[in-house]
Structure formats: structure tokens, C-alpha cells
Amino acid sequence: MIAGVVGGGTMGAGIAHLLLAGGHDVVLAEAGADRAEAARLAVTRSLAKAAERGKLTGTPDALLAGLTVVEDLADLPSAAELVVEAVPEDADLKRRVLTQVASVCPTAVLASNTSSLSISALADGLPGERLIGMHFFNPVPVQELVELVHHDGVGPDVVVRVRAWAEALGKTVIEVRDSPGFATSRLGVAVGMEAIRMLEEGVASAEDIDTGMRLGYGWPMGPLKLTDLVGLDVRLAIAKHLAAELGPRFEPPALLRDKVDRGELGRKTGRGFFAW
Ligand code: CAA
């Protein structure tokens, strides 16, 4: 299949990697030459890392032959069957992108990788029967889950096709009704926020809270390190959205707001709950 990916950040680059490794041709759209170049580099690095670990069938070079990076959404292929949108968590931005993709790719399934925004709200003004939430997890080539998020207007054939694509890419699918934070972000953020409140209250150190969940509950990494990896700004935005939709139990802790104000956003800035 010919697939499009919009946005070449951590998630978009990972999704492009996954689709290439699955034998698809991928057109990845990023805004401007510098970002397009960075996106190509991110996909190249990710494929190289998978190859080093013996997780790739075929060489990175052979798979990269299937990748085209474009600097304008208008250059997405009109024959694309699937376009995955992975731009930042901003509803207006996502709606603008999806509207343009819907007209450039008239028959494509429009899949949003949003981790919390309402799919029904994004569907407003779009050919909603083609829109579905297709939520991947970081690192995309490694994490087994895809969360499919339905809104009332989605075409039943779209659900069937997206599930089949995801399963053929080796993923396990869960289906979730469109609701704030879906199934995964709602629980992930709840635990992450509680861990931050426990740190504020001096219950235990960041290291010990994380070790508790790693060794006691079998998490691959603790909730604070995971927040550092996801980005404190990303988690804060999701928590604010969930607080607005679900009530004060999702109100972000002061420590999280303070760290974001200070620019301590986690791994990407060198400091979050841990020094990187
Ligand atoms: N292809 C490409 N990269 C790979 C890879 C593969 N097949 N396998 C591993 N890697 C990468 C890792 O991502 C990591 O990348 P960085 O160098 O950028 O850190 C690197 O190789 C080294 O990995 P490690 O040796 O440190 O660790 P590991 O391979 O044993 O496991 C991990 C790494 C998979 C990230 C593991 O620690 C883990 O499962 N962590 C939890 C991840 C998690 O919970 N993700 C969900 C985040 S929430 C989310 O994504 C949803 C949202 O909407 C915000």
C-alpha cells in the first residue's frame, strides 16, 4: 500500500519506520526543509537501531528506498490508502491538517495518532466516516499496542481495514469508544500524576517511587522516568485536557506545572524528574 504520515517527530518517524518495515511505501510530510531533513534522519536512525538489534527483515537502505519525504501536505500521494496524522496535540492544528489531507487524498483512511483529543470533535467538518483514532506508543516499532478509537460516524469498513493493517504490522489492537484520554492515556496520566504528588509530599524519592513500580509491578520503567521520556509538557497538556473533561481529579500537580515553567521537560531538555 501507499501510506502517508504527517509529522516527523518521535511518533511520526516511528510510524514511518513501522510502515516501511511492513513493506509499504511511505510518504512522510514535514513542514520546511530543515524539519524534513530531521525527520528523514530520525527514520534512518530508528531503522539502523532495529537492524543492530536484529529486529529488521531487510536492510535499512533497502527499506529507506520506499521512503519519500515531502515539505508540503499538497505533495502527499492522491492514491494513499492510509494517512496517519502525528502532528502536535493541538486540536486546531490537527483539524487543519486532516482537512487538507482529506482533499489531497480523496479515498484515504484518515488516522489520527492523538493520545487524548476527541475524535468526534476532530471529525467535525471532515468526511467523518473516513476518520479513526489510531494511537501508537513510543517507541512505535517496539510497543505492541495500537489503540483504535471509534467515534459514532466512523465507517465500519474503516475499522476493519485499520485493524487488519495494524495486525499485519505485528500489533495487538484494542478498540475503545471515543472518550477523554481513551483507555491508555487516562490510566497512564492518572498514575503519572499520582507519582508526582507523592514526590511533592515527600513520600519517597523519585528513584524509589520508580523502583517500586518497576520491581513491584513489573513496569519496564517507573512512572516518573516514563514522564521524562514522554515529555513533561506533553503530560501537562493531557492532564489539563482531562481535568477540563473529567473533573478535578486530573488537575495537574503544582510540581509538574513548575517544572514545565522552568523548561525542565524531561529527556529532551536534559532534565525532568531525573538528570539525563
Ligand atoms: N527499533 C528501533 N529502536 C529500538 C528498537 C527497535 N526495534 N528496540 C529498542 N529501540 C531503542 C529504544 O527505543 C531506545 O531508544 P533511545 O536510544 O532513543 O533511548 C534504545 O533502542 C535503547 O533501548 P534500551 O536498551 O535502553 O532499552 P530496551 O530496548 O530494553 O527497552 C523500551 C526500551 C522499549 C523503551 C522499554 O524501556 C519500555 O518498554 N519502556 C516503557 C515504554 C512505554 O511505556 N511507552 C509508552 C509511553 S506512553 C505513549 O507513548 C502514549 C502517549 O500517547 C504519550
Side-chain angles (χ1 to χ4, degrees):
M1 124 170 111
I2 303 179
V5 177
V6 184
T10 306
M11 297 306 287
I15 294 164
H17 165 159
L18 180 72
L19 288 162
L20 290 166
H24 302 295
D25 287 324
V26 176
V27 180
L28 172 59
E30 246 305 354
D34 289 352
R35 295 167 73 124
E37 189 46 40
R40 176 182 288 282
L41 201 64
V43 179
T44 306
R45 283 207 183 114
S46 183
L47 287 168
K49 214 176 268 179
E52 269 166 32
R53 292 170 168 251
K55 300 283 185 198
L56 213 56
T57 308
T59 64
D61 282 349
L63 295 176
L64 282 167
L67 177 68
T68 307
V69 182
V70 298
E71 296 171 30
D72 193 328
L73 289 184
D75 294 328
L76 284 170
S78 60
E81 288 182 59
L82 168 70
V83 178
V84 185
E85 165 282 303
V87 301
E89 280 304 88
D90 171 332
D92 289 337
L93 172 64
K94 284 187 186 285
R95 214 175 283 112
R96 270 203 310 280
V97 163
L98 289 164
T99 303
Q100 196 177 348
V101 173
S103 85
V104 174
C105 308
T107 56
V109 168
L110 309 170
S112 174
N113 179 54
T114 179
S115 52
S116 65
L117 297 173
S118 163
I119 302 296
S120 316
L122 291 179
D124 193 25
L126 284 174
E129 68 286 355
R130 286 203 269 149
L131 180 72
I132 189 163
M134 189 180 195
H135 182 200
F136 292 89
F137 295 81
N138 182 25
V140 176
V142 180
Q143 298 296 98
E144 275 183 47
L145 185 67
V146 169
E147 185 175 38
L148 285 192
V149 186
H150 301 203
H151 66 105
D152 287 346
V154 68
D157 59 314
V158 167
V159 180
V160 172
R161 289 169 74 200
V162 177
R163 172 184 274 278
W165 283 323
E167 288 178 347
L169 292 168
K171 300 302 185 194
T172 297
V173 170
I174 60 170
E175 292 192 24
V176 179
R177 178 171 62 80
D178 185 27
S179 55
F182 317 138
T184 54
S185 299
R186 183 163 164 176
L187 282 174
V189 167
V191 176
M193 295 300 109
E194 204 54 33
I196 298 168
R197 276 189 277 269
M198 286 160 60
L199 190 62
E200 272 179 344
E201 291 167 19
V203 173
S205 67
E207 287 79 5
D208 283 357
I209 290 171
D210 271 14
T211 301
M213 294 312 281
R214 263 191 321 106
L215 302 186
Y217 278 62
W219 284 37
M221 63 175 66
L224 295 168
K225 186 170 178 197
L226 183 58
T227 302
D228 272 7
L229 273 194
V230 169
L232 276 67
D233 51 337
V234 174
R235 282 248 148 135
L236 177 62
I238 299 175
K240 283 181 177 168
H241 173 68
L242 293 182
E245 297 290 330
L246 295 172
R249 68 188 191 278
F250 280 97
E251 208 50 63
L255 179 60
L256 179 62
R257 292 179 184 275
D258 291 349
K259 281 186 168 291
V260 171
D261 285 347
R262 288 200 295 270
E264 294 178 17
L265 306 183
R267 180 164 86 161
K268 61 191 167 190
T269 60
R271 177 168 288 279
F273 294 102
F274 298 95
W276 290 83

